[in-house]
Amino acid sequence: MGFPDVITGGCLCGSVRYSISASSETPWPPQSSACQCTMCRKWTSSLIAQFIIVLPDQLEPPLHTHETYDEYESSPGRYRGFCKRCGTSLVWRSTDDSSTVDVFLGTVDERWLVHEDGGKVGQELARPNGTQFWMENAIPGVTDLLKGGKEFLKEGEDGWERKRE
Ligand SMILES: [Zn+2]
Ligand SMILES: [Zn+2]
């Protein structure tokens, strides 16, 4: 079996649909990360925002070609893409780091998150192996139960604090 070469997803109403394909330029399965900052919480209405990090070329079709896709500039140069019909939070991208797009995991289709290969594909996608940001906002015994990746108390350019080795 192994991890599929393509996974699919989209917004709640179905007007934004995407596929993400493997690329030789970046890890596959894609790097999986999580954030508990207040902005991600507000924007996703979830306590933990989980996302996979891909290159724009891996996303087909380009999200901005969808009529209902729009972006909110949540900080200077930081864009959060959503569906303006149903409100689904889809992606985060930065103009500082235009080489990657964070795709919020809850928008990946149930097939991949739950069913494929007896749940193994979902585990690969959802278990953080990248970074868990803003662990200082974790709710003890609840949102710190997600394990995996490097845990940082905050985020920042070079000032990232490592919570645990
Ligand atoms: Zn929608
Ligand atoms: Zn965040």
Side-chain angles (χ1 to χ4, degrees):
M1 276 302 287
F3 197 81
D5 290 334
V6 181
I7 58 173
T8 55
C11 68
L12 179 59
C13 76
S15 60
V16 177
R17 293 288 306 161
Y18 63 76
S19 66
I20 301 173
S21 304
S23 163
S24 55
E25 327 255 300
T26 193
W28 191 261
Q31 192 190 87
S32 180
S33 290
C35 187
Q36 300 192 43
C37 81
T38 297
M39 292 178 85
C40 285
R41 283 182 170 170
K42 295 267 187 200
W43 188 66
T44 62
S45 67
S46 299
L47 296 174
I48 307 178
Q50 286 188 254
F51 49 90
I52 49 175
I53 300 167
V54 303
L55 297 171
D57 287 354
Q58 290 177 270
L59 275 164
E60 248 327 293
L63 292 177
H64 65 265
T65 61
H66 291 96
E67 204 177 303
T68 67
Y69 179 79
D70 205 353
E71 291 186 330
Y72 170 66
E73 189 174 12
S74 57
S75 306
R78 307 281 199 275
Y79 294 89
R80 293 176 184 269
F82 61 98
C83 173
K84 58 189 177 187
R85 181 177 297 156
C86 67
T88 299
S89 306
L90 288 155
V91 300
W92 181 97
R93 71 181 179 89
S94 161
T95 50
D96 301 342
D97 185 5
S98 56
S99 60
T100 58
V101 180
D102 298 347
V103 179
F104 286 86
L105 259 179
T107 66
V108 171
D109 289 337
E110 181 180 308
R111 172 182 172 183
W112 312 109
L113 290 178
V114 180
H115 305 292
E116 194 75 4
D117 201 6
K120 291 202 184 86
V121 170
Q123 284 180 325
E124 290 267 15
L125 288 167
R127 189 180 287 136
N129 61 6
T131 305
Q132 295 205 51
F133 297 103
W134 287 94
M135 292 301 293
E136 76 168 19
N137 285 357
I139 297 168
V142 184
T143 67
D144 58 359
L145 297 180
L146 182 69
K147 298 297 178 200
K150 293 176 194 154
E151 298 183 7
F152 291 99
L153 291 175
K154 301 173 186 285
E155 60 122 359
E157 292 304 318
D158 295 305
W160 284 353
E161 290 180 55
R162 184 101 172 246
K163 188 186 173 202
R164 298 188 191 115
E165 287 309 306

